[in-house]
Amino acid sequence: GDICASIMRFCADIGYQLNIEAENVFNFDSIHDLQRSPSADCIGYAGLEVKPDGDSDCFHVNVMIGFTVVNDINLHHLNIDLMSELMLRLIPNGRIPLFDSGNGDYVGVLLATNDYAILPERGQDGRSIKLAHFHFLSDCGLNAPTQKPQHI
């Protein structure tokens, strides 16, 4: 849907800037065994949750976005090079453009709040993953000619 595709596109854009190949952009929820992921830097998201904001056309989005790396001694590359760029893009007041997943038209924006958490690294056998949890609010159609996305 619109939100998934837009978050994936956001991840791909950051990945491109960080020289992460397009085929290494994932919904991490689809990878059940981290050790089977590519032997390269990867970017993606996990734990997507979308909730309406009462009776308004606004909605809340909670999602984790982060990276996996291989053989990163002291996790310097993961924390300094990759996570720092992600945090600079989203905190404070970052935005993820929302696009129609069918035709690619711009339909709105997700506004990052200051409600975020950087989670601890985890991993095994030389592969590490680190995610940050973000809370976004939709722009409620105020900044774009749009309506509430119909698909998650």
Side-chain angles (χ1 to χ4, degrees):
D2 297 346
I3 296 170
C4 291
S6 297
I7 292 172
M8 187 68 83
R9 184 172 174 171
F10 173 79
C11 291
D13 289 346
I14 291 178
Y16 177 79
Q17 292 177 356
L18 297 171
N19 297 314
I20 296 174
E21 299 292 328
E23 62 267 13
N24 294 332
V25 180
F26 292 100
N27 175 340
F28 287 135
D29 289 332
S30 70
I31 300 174
H32 302 289
D33 181 359
L34 186 61
Q35 298 309 315
R36 293 183 184 259
S37 59
S39 294
D41 292 348
C42 300
I43 185 172
Y45 73 93
L48 177 64
E49 176 186 60
V50 179
K51 297 187 293 188
D53 185 19
D55 293 331
S56 76
D57 285 339
C58 301
F59 53 95
H60 297 264
V61 175
N62 290 298
V63 66
M64 293 177 287
I65 301 173
F67 301 90
T68 66
V69 295
V70 178
N71 298 324
D72 183 12
I73 296 179
N74 294 324
L75 301 173
H76 182 272
H77 177 59
L78 178 62
N79 288 307
I80 304 302
D81 301 332
L82 302 178
M83 287 301 291
S84 292
E85 180 62 28
L86 174 64
M87 299 310 291
L88 286 171
R89 290 278 303 265
L90 290 177
I91 303 300
N93 306 315
R95 296 166 179 250
I96 294 181
L98 280 175
F99 298 96
D100 183 294
S101 60
N103 61 23
D105 288 347
Y106 175 78
V107 295
V109 68
L110 295 176
L111 307 167
T113 70
N114 283 330
D115 182 9
Y116 68 93
I118 300 172
L119 306 175
E121 302 88 1
R122 59 185 170 85
Q124 63 187 34
D125 299 328
R127 176 168 296 284
S128 301
I129 185 170
K130 184 166 187 137
L131 299 166
H133 179 269
F134 297 97
H135 179 130
F136 296 91
L137 298 174
S138 70
D139 65 350
C140 306
L142 298 176
N143 297 323
T146 183
Q147 60 186 10
K148 186 174 173 182
Q150 299 300 309
H151 301 95
I152 295 174

